[in-house]
Structures are given as C-alpha cells and as structure tokens.
Amino acid sequence: MKKNYSSILSVLFILGFLGFTFFAMMPQWTSDDDAPLAEFSTKRALEQVKNISQKPHFVGSENHEVVANYLVEELQNMGLETSIQEGYSFSDWGTLTKCKNILSRIKGTNSNKALLLLSHYDSAPHSYSKGASDAGSGVATILESVRAFTYNKKQHQNDIIILFTDAEELGLNGAALFVTQHNWAKEVGLVLNFEARGSSGPSYMLMETNAGNAGLVNQFSAANAKYSVSNSLMYSIYKMLPNDTDLTIFREQGNIQGYNFAFIDGHYNYHTAQDDVNHLSKKTLTHQGKYLMPLLDYFSNADLNTTQTTEDDVYFSIPFSFISYPFSWVLPMVIIAFGLLLILLFFGIAKRILFLNEIAKGFIPFLGSLIVSGLITFLGWKLLLIIYPQYNDLLNGFTYNGHDYVAAFTLLTLSICFAFYQRFSAKKVTMNHSVAPLFFWILINGFIAFFLKGAGFLIIPAFAGLLMLTSFVLTQRSKWILNLFLSIPALLLIAPFIQMFPIGLGLKVLFGSAILTALTFGLLLPIFGSFMRKGMASVIFLVLSIGFFAKAHYESGYELGKAKSNSLVYVLDADKNKATWATYDTNLDEWTKTYLGQNPKDAKILSSISLPSKYKTEFTFSADAPMKTLSRPIVEFLKDSVVGGNRYLKIRITPTRKVNRYDVFANKNLVFQNFKANGLTLLGQKGSKYERKGKKLLSYYVVDQLPLEIEFSVAATSILDLDLMESSFDLMNNPLFPMAKRADWMMPTPFILNDAVVIKEKIKPSPRLVKPIAVKVRNAIEKDSLGIQKDSLRKP
C-alpha cells in the first residue's frame, strides 16, 4: 500500500510543481480598478492600446498620421518636449520608405550615457492588423511607465530617451533612420525594447549584444525584475529565426546593446486582423509593465558603461530568481559530471549493486522510447496535416488548437515511455537502467560545451540525476522523497521548453518536444521506474492523450475570433494587356472561389512575378480577371548615358493613382554599381557593388504619393532587364472592384501582399505619352524634395 501511495504522491508532486512553474512565470491577476498614480496601471495601459489600435495604421495609411499625432499629444500631456525625426531610410532588407519617428527626452542630473525606451507604432500592412499587441502594447507599456515615473518625480542621473519608431514592420527603417542620422544615437548606452510576436503568454527577455553578455546579465540581475523569464539558450534560438527587431539595428549599426521584451503565445493573431485589443491578454500587458518599472528605476541611475564586457555568461530564470555563471564553467562541469558517473559506476559495480549487463539493457527502453516517440510525433503531425488540410492556412504554423496538440503528443510520449519500461525494465533494475539516460545527457552537454554554450545550464538536471544515483550507490536504496526533490531542476529548466518550442517555431517541431519529453523521462527514471504499475500508467496517459486529440478535433474548425486566412490579388500585366486573379491559398474557400472559380488554374502564368514574403510563399492558383482601366505610373529616364564601359541611368517612377508600394526587379545576372534610391545607398552596403538576393532590387513603400528615383550604373554591354510592380492595398474598397465582403470567420492572410491591385510592367527607356493630369500630379509631388531629413521641435 505504501508503495502505491508513493507513486500517486510522486505524480501529484510533479503535476503540482509543473503547475507552479508555469503559473509563476507571469502575473496572474489584473485589476479593472485604477492603480495609484505612482504605479503602473494595466487599466490605463490598456486604454492607451485601445486608442492606438482603433484602426490599421501602417505606413502610408490615413490613420498612421492620426496615431503619430496622438502619441505626440500624450507625451506633451506629461509635460515632455517632443521632436519628430522625418526622412528616407533604405534598410538592409532592401526596403525604402519615408519614416516619421517620435522622440522625447527626460533630462538626468549627471548623464554620461542615456537610457533609451523603444517600441514601434506602425502596424503591419496588407492584413488589416490593428497593431494592438504588435506593438501597441509596447508603446502603451512605455507611456504608462513613463507617466508613473514622472509622477513620482524621482531624481535620476541618466537621461531617458523615449523613441517610438516608424516602419519597423517594413524593414526596421525608423530604427535605421535614428541610429544612422540622429545625433542622440551616439549618446545611447542601453536600449529597452518592447515587442510582440503574438497576443498572450509570458514576456521573454532576449539580450542583444555584439560582445560578451556578462555585463548585461549582471545588471539585469541587479535590477531585480520580479517576473523574469529568460535563459541564454533562448537568444541562441532567437538569432536563428528571421525575426529581427528594431534593437537589432542598434546592435548592428550602432554597436548599442540592450534587452528585448516580447511575448509569443497566441502567435496565430500576429500580423492579422485579430491583433486587436480584445485578443491582447491583460496578464501579458501587466507582465510587460512588471519588467519596465523596476528596470526604469534601476537603469536611470546605473552606470551604463558597465554593461560592456567581452565575457559571456550562462543564465536562466526560475520563479522569482535569476541565476548566472561564466561560460568558462560549462566544459569543466561536463567533465566533472562524466568523472562522477565513472566513479559511481566503479563503486556500484564493485559493491555489486550495478551490473554491466543490466546497464547495457537500459539502453533498450531508453533509445526505444526516444526513437519511437519522436517518429510517431513527426509522422503523426504530417498525418494530421492531411486529415486537416485547413491547418496549412495559417502560415505561422501554430494552429488555434495548437496547445491541445502539444499536450496530446506530450502525454502520448509519456505513455510510450511507460510502455517501454514496463516491457524492458523491472523495478529492481531501475537504477541500473538510469545510467543510459545519464550517459546521454552528459554526452549532449559535451556537444553543448563546444557548439552551444548558451544551453550550458542543461547540465544542472544531469547533476541532479547523478545525485540520485549517488544516493543509491552509497545507501543501496532508492529514496523516492529525495528523488522527488532532485527532480525539481528538470521540471524547472526543461519542461518549459517542451511547450515553448512549438509555440515559437511552429507545430512542425512537435517531434522535438516529444524527444525532449522522453529525455526528461529518462532523467526522472528513478521516480517513474519504481512505479509498480507502469503498464497502467501507460494506459492512463494514452487515454488522456486521446482526450486531447478529441478536444483538438472538436476545435479544428473556424469561427469568429479564430478565423481562416485567405488571399486575393488582382494583377494587371500592362505589357500583355491581361488581367489575372491570384491567390496564395492551398485550400480555396467560398469567398476565393467567387473570383477563381470552382476549378482554377495553377499559377504558372504568374511565375515571373516574385513577391517577397516572410515565409517564401508563392501564388498557388489563378484565373482570368476582367480588364479594368487603371492609371499607370509615369516612368521617366532622367539620365541615360554611356561613359567608357559603363552605362549611367537615373529613373523616376511617379504614381498617378493612390498606391502603397513599388517593387523593382532585375535579371539576376545584371550587376549594379553605385545604386541609390531617393538619394540613399543601402544600409550597410560596402563597396560600389549593389548586393541583392535574387531578382529583387528594392521595395519602396509610398508615403504622400512621393515618387521613387533610382540611379545606378551597369556595364554598357548589359541588357537592361527591369520589371516594376505597382501595388495599392485597396482591392476591398476600390470603386472599380465590387468585392464581396468576407464572412466573419475569414480574415486576410498576413505576411504577404494581399487584397491588392497590382500593375506589372517592364521598365523601358522609350518615352510614354503622359496625360496632362498626370503631369500636374508629378509637378505637385516634386515640390517636396527627396532625401531631406526634417527635425521639428514641438513644445508642450
């Protein structure tokens, strides 16, 4: 009876501790009442989010200026002087646009370096995103924290710069404009950047530095943020993803380091029409404030020069604590662990409580559960994509019922582990069989010590497993209470990754969570292996897994607030005088079929059109579309001369209708020298050769209908092969197109050019007849000179 109780108590302890681990990551209570004016108020911050995110406000939209003016007024209402930095930026993403940054500065008493609070205020284009989370939440966090900070009238040494950047969604252009052209940039010592890649969940801290992180680690620890969620592996993963933030520009172009704070759960709302205030988690917004308030108090008085170091630290957070140690410890810790394992094997075999044949047999259930669970999860997700093809509609790869699948496959893995150990491992050889997972964990950490030192903290759960084995060798008994206590490091440090990996990287990496679950089970084998009824445990976990699969099936459809994304673009090929409907969708719905028909053609006819997108998506289906009379852009060759072996060109492209974007493409073999766009060279360009990826030359997001001017030189013998795509984001409200409204369970697909009217044509040197009205448009536009940065000081 006692042994049965120990199994039940072990499960209850592990479940309870896991619940505590996830519960303690972030604040769990928010109040609808106003907090004291001296404190951060979630209610007040949420009101700021509501005001910012009433409508989409991407660069070039009407509401973009409305939000910019609102932020200026809010800063002035706090008694702060504001300034606006305006000018063109040509980011290393190949994106050109005119930006409008909003700045304010709070003077310190003895400033050497300034602390910069950073977030962006533009929303994502193409998808009707209102930008509540990304990054209205960041702007609101800063506004409310600065309000509380100034209300307290605390003296502080360092200047505090508030920067709301523009055009982050297009290519980090506003940040690039500030770092490369504003004189305040040279004074910045540290950046706190608030971002979002979802709408809920804990906010993770990620460091950005060109040198060592030890200074940043020590200062963050000293600031004592209560709910810190971070570890040095997360930044290593972050650097592998195509998710740069404004802070990346500060690090790369200004050698200015800092901290990102971003939440990633609810990723399906990211950049969509569902990024509104109703989908933003209040607890998540509170978590952002719980970071900024103590950090603002601390770094406004800290010596910001001490954050610069050449040494790196391993770091990780556990509930209410932040722990770090030098990279130089990583390899010695692995060596010590391996040495301890050898010593324990020597004494265990000498005392005849460990046996080589049983140790060898322990690899069978361990490797079996590891391989089988990984394969079943990998193939299982592939099968689910076939059964539920609608899961392919969400390009970010995390479905609305994604958490159910994480739970289902994790429980299935536990069932597989118990089944293997029921078959191949009796209770009396549990400690012998625990050697196999310990060996693998030490082996993995050996790899980490050479190739991924940021994950060096994963040796700590291995040490806890070694202590379980030590206790057994010394006492010749397995003590379940001690083993439960020693399970804590694995539960604290490994379990969160089982959930975080699929959220951050998509459900395609569910097999990684399964493998990590099996590895963790192996570490905790001294607990689970002693269960008398492992077969029954396997059945229970299997039943629970089936329950979550059933729940996921029940919630696999679409509804209002959990919408299906779809896409449609009207493309007019001006050279062929042919119009086409096109979509990126793999699963057509009733709305897209209205235009593409029941049996659309594949999109090969549009293969020459290469529209850049985050997930490298391409057109899937197309259909003939009615011809519409669209006013084409004016293309003028202002210069076209040959000197020596080079041909020098300057081309101006002027819109004659309300447009939002130009994409210019060129033959891959065409080499461009001294390329400039609106007077600017590409950010970070070295030498005269223009470096580009693929056919794209640049994307130009139009503001105030200002023209695009490109100048460059090519070899005189080259054939000038240039294509222009002019896009307006007005398909759904253009009087030329009587479009049906989407159903309330549909939304525009994000990350792609969508709901757009596109004109495609070759850029040719031959002159074109220009209507008088087009000439008037161009002359009016030319009054605003290009490439000039404007700084206007506005006082409250």
Side-chain angles (χ1 to χ4, degrees):
M1 185 67 68
K2 179 180 177 182
K3 292 178 181 179
N4 289 335
Y5 281 146
S6 68
S7 299
I8 295 171
L9 291 174
S10 295
V11 171
L12 292 176
F13 175 85
I14 290 172
L15 290 176
F17 201 87
L18 284 173
F20 166 76
T21 299
F22 287 98
F23 186 83
M25 281 185 174
M26 58 187 294
Q28 295 297 325
W29 295 276
T30 60
S31 174
D32 291 331
D33 298 328
D34 283 327
L37 292 175
E39 299 175 7
F40 181 92
S41 165
T42 302
K43 181 181 178 181
R44 286 190 289 264
L46 195 65
E47 190 64 29
Q48 294 282 15
V49 176
K50 289 180 182 177
N51 294 333
I52 294 167
S53 62
Q54 292 181 13
K55 296 178 181 179
H57 46 277
F58 56 87
V59 174
S61 67
E62 293 180 5
N63 208 50
H64 180 265
E65 190 71 13
V66 173
V67 173
N69 292 336
Y70 171 79
L71 296 179
V72 170
E73 292 174 4
E74 286 300 295
L75 291 169
Q76 291 176 343
N77 289 340
M78 296 180 203
L80 304 178
E81 290 187 350
T82 65
S83 62
I84 291 176
Q85 181 195 20
E86 195 169 4
Y88 281 98
S89 170
F90 192 13
S91 78
D92 56 3
W93 289 21
T95 302
L96 172 72
T97 194
K98 188 180 180 184
C99 306
K100 186 174 185 178
N101 291 332
I102 299 166
L103 299 104
S104 188
R105 187 162 184 157
I106 305 172
K107 285 288 186 180
T109 58
N110 186 25
S111 184
N112 182 16
K113 288 287 187 179
L115 172 67
L116 187 138
L117 309 182
L118 175 65
S119 193
H120 70 89
Y121 71 92
D122 64 307
S123 64
H126 314 140
S127 56
Y128 302 97
S129 171
K130 295 180 180 179
S133 297
D134 181 26
S137 63
V139 173
T141 297
I142 292 173
L143 286 174
E144 172 59 14
S145 298
V146 168
R147 183 211 56 75
F149 184 84
T150 55
Y151 179 87
N152 286 321
K153 294 182 172 60
K154 290 183 180 178
Q155 283 199 344
H156 53 95
Q157 294 185 0
N158 298 324
D159 284 7
I160 300 168
I161 298 172
I162 301 159
L163 172 60
F164 298 137
T165 58
D166 194 9
E168 188 270 352
E169 299 292 4
L170 308 185
L172 316 178
N173 292 75
L177 181 69
F178 176 82
V179 172
T180 59
Q181 298 187 35
H182 203 291
N183 54 11
W184 285 1
K186 297 187 291 291
E187 303 172 36
V188 175
L190 186 71
V191 179
L192 306 180
N193 181 39
F194 288 83
E195 258 289 2
R197 192 171 166 261
S199 57
S200 61
S203 176
Y204 297 97
M205 184 276 285
L206 300 164
M207 298 181 185
E208 292 244 17
T209 176
N210 287 326
N213 67 22
L216 289 171
V217 170
N218 292 334
Q219 292 283 36
F220 183 80
S221 179
N224 196 27
K226 184 177 180 182
Y227 294 96
S228 62
V229 183
S230 185
N231 58 67
S232 45
L233 175 59
M234 288 167 56
Y235 181 57
S236 299
I237 296 171
Y238 162 76
K239 289 190 292 186
M240 300 175 187
L241 302 176
N243 299 299
D244 290 345
T245 70
D246 277 341
L247 183 51
T248 307
I249 293 291
F250 281 80
R251 175 177 59 81
E252 292 179 348
Q253 301 299 325
N255 195 30
I256 301 167
Q257 57 189 6
Y259 308 91
N260 283 310
F261 302 91
F263 45 96
I264 63 174
D265 209 348
H267 190 194
Y268 32 72
N269 295 321
Y270 177 55
H271 281 197
T272 73
Q274 294 175 165
D275 187 6
D276 55 27
V277 70
N278 295 322
H279 284 88
L280 173 62
S281 165
K282 291 182 181 180
K283 292 187 290 187
T284 297
L285 185 61
T286 302
H287 196 187
Q288 293 285 62
K290 291 291 185 181
Y291 273 122
L292 183 51
M293 288 302 293
L295 294 177
L296 184 55
D297 283 340
Y298 179 81
F299 285 115
S300 62
N301 288 289
D303 182 358
L304 301 182
N305 291 307
T306 60
T307 61
Q308 297 283 350
T309 60
T310 58
E311 297 179 353
D312 280 305
D313 277 2
V314 173
Y315 62 90
F316 57 92
S317 60
I318 58 176
F320 314 119
S321 187
F322 188 80
I323 300 167
S324 64
Y325 56 84
F327 266 21
S328 59
W329 289 17
V330 175
L331 183 57
M333 290 175 73
V334 175
I335 294 172
I336 291 171
F338 185 67
L340 180 57
L341 179 61
L342 291 179
I343 292 171
L344 291 173
L345 288 176
F346 176 80
F347 282 104
I349 293 169
K351 297 173 85 172
R352 301 184 64 80
I353 56 173
L354 295 179
F355 304 94
L356 285 176
N357 63 327
E358 291 296 341
I359 291 172
K361 289 179 183 178
F363 283 86
I364 298 174
F366 176 70
L367 292 177
S369 59
L370 197 67
I371 294 169
V372 170
S373 60
L375 278 175
I376 286 180
T377 305
F378 178 81
L379 297 174
W381 178 244
K382 294 288 186 183
L383 178 62
L384 287 170
L385 291 177
I386 296 173
I387 297 173
Y388 305 97
Q390 65 267 32
Y391 292 166
N392 294 293
D393 296 333
L394 299 175
L395 296 181
N396 56 55
F398 195 85
T399 61
Y400 295 118
N401 53 5
H403 287 285
D404 293 330
Y405 283 122
V406 174
F409 280 110
T410 299
L411 290 166
L412 179 59
T413 299
L414 291 173
S415 175
I416 291 169
C417 291
F418 273 113
F420 264 96
Y421 279 95
Q422 167 68 16
R423 173 66 178 82
F424 294 103
S425 179
K427 177 181 179 296
K428 63 182 180 180
V429 293
T430 289
M431 295 310 297
N432 280 263
H433 289 184
S434 71
V435 173
L438 282 173
F439 173 78
F440 262 81
W441 270 99
I442 295 171
L443 189 65
I444 291 169
N445 277 276
F447 175 86
I448 287 171
F450 289 101
F451 301 105
L452 196 64
K453 285 187 172 65
F457 58 86
L458 292 178
I459 194 64
I460 295 174
F463 271 111
L466 286 169
L467 289 177
M468 295 182 196
L469 185 60
T470 300
S471 172
F472 175 73
V473 170
L474 293 178
T475 65
Q476 301 187 27
R477 294 179 59 191
S478 181
K479 300 182 178 180
W480 70 275
I481 294 179
L482 176 64
N483 292 342
L484 270 182
F485 176 77
L486 292 173
S487 71
I488 290 175
L491 301 178
L492 283 176
L493 298 180
I494 304 173
F497 283 107
I498 295 171
Q499 182 188 51
M500 188 186 73
F501 281 153
I503 291 174
L505 302 175
L507 294 174
K508 63 181 181 291
V509 301
L510 267 172
F511 71 94
S513 293
I515 291 172
L516 195 55
T517 301
L519 285 169
T520 307
F521 185 96
L523 272 184
L524 303 184
L525 186 59
I527 299 170
F528 297 132
S530 63
F531 283 17
M532 295 295 295
R533 299 180 178 178
K534 291 190 281 289
M536 181 179 291
S538 177
V539 171
I540 291 172
F541 281 112
L542 178 60
V543 170
L544 291 173
S545 174
I546 292 171
F548 275 99
F549 278 120
K551 183 174 182 290
H553 171 75
Y554 179 76
E555 298 178 354
S556 62
Y558 294 114
E559 60 186 49
L560 178 64
K562 295 180 179 179
K564 176 192 185 299
S565 62
N566 55 25
S567 61
L568 192 66
V569 178
Y570 177 88
V571 181
L572 173 62
D573 190 326
D575 298 318
K576 297 179 180 179
N577 201 33
K578 180 177 176 58
T580 306
W581 292 115
T583 183
Y584 296 89
D585 299 358
T586 55
N587 302 300
L588 300 184
D589 51 47
E590 59 192 49
W591 185 78
T592 49
K593 286 180 180 178
T594 302
Y595 305 97
L596 295 164
Q598 295 297 320
N599 298 294
K601 299 177 290 187
D602 62 34
K604 289 181 181 178
I605 191 173
L606 299 171
S607 59
S608 61
I609 296 179
S610 176
L611 294 173
S613 65
K614 178 176 179 179
Y615 292 99
K616 298 180 174 59
T617 48
E618 297 180 352
F619 287 134
T620 52
F621 299 105
S622 65
D624 293 339
M627 288 293 297
K628 302 291 183 180
T629 302
L630 299 174
S631 181
R632 291 165 59 184
I634 304 167
V635 179
E636 299 171 281
F637 279 63
L638 305 179
K639 179 194 297 184
D640 190 353
S641 60
V642 177
V643 179
N646 293 319
R647 182 181 178 185
Y648 295 87
L649 297 107
K650 185 173 184 178
I651 304 171
R652 178 163 55 202
I653 304 167
T654 307
T656 60
R657 64 187 180 108
K658 173 63 176 175
V659 299
N660 298 93
R661 169 173 160 180
Y662 284 112
D663 292 283
V664 182
F665 304 91
N667 188 296
K668 291 180 180 180
N669 298 321
L670 200 56
V671 178
F672 293 83
Q673 302 286 343
N674 303 308
F675 187 91
K676 290 185 178 181
N678 285 8
L680 298 178
T681 56
L682 185 71
L683 181 68
Q685 181 175 323
K686 297 178 181 178
S688 61
K689 182 180 177 181
Y690 183 64
E691 300 290 345
R692 59 191 174 109
K693 296 180 180 178
K695 295 178 64 177
K696 191 184 85 166
L697 275 177
L698 83 161
S699 295
Y700 170 54
Y701 284 83
V702 182
V703 176
D704 299 329
Q705 295 301 98
L706 294 173
L708 168 66
E709 286 189 4
I710 56 175
E711 53 185 314
F712 54 87
S713 64
V714 296
T717 56
S718 300
I719 297 174
L720 191 65
D721 186 8
L722 299 174
D723 290 288
L724 172 68
M725 288 181 53
E726 180 190 74
S727 306
S728 59
F729 308 157
D730 61 350
L731 179 62
M732 298 302 292
N733 52 24
N734 190 315
L736 293 175
F737 298 90
M739 304 297 294
K741 186 180 178 182
R742 286 180 171 89
D744 61 8
W745 53 271
M746 300 177 185
M747 66 180 179
T749 302
F751 313 116
I752 56 172
L753 181 62
N754 200 356
D755 284 11
V757 178
V758 179
I759 299 177
K760 174 187 177 294
E761 63 179 311
K762 286 284 184 184
I763 297 177
K764 302 175 182 178
S766 56
R768 176 191 297 169
L769 291 175
V770 181
K771 297 178 182 179
I773 189 171
V775 175
K776 291 179 181 180
V777 170
R778 189 195 71 204
N779 291 339
I781 291 170
E782 286 179 348
K783 292 181 181 180
D784 194 333
S785 58
L786 300 174
I788 299 177
Q789 175 181 320
K790 303 171 184 177
D791 283 293
S792 58
L793 182 67
R794 300 185 182 182
K795 296 184 179 180

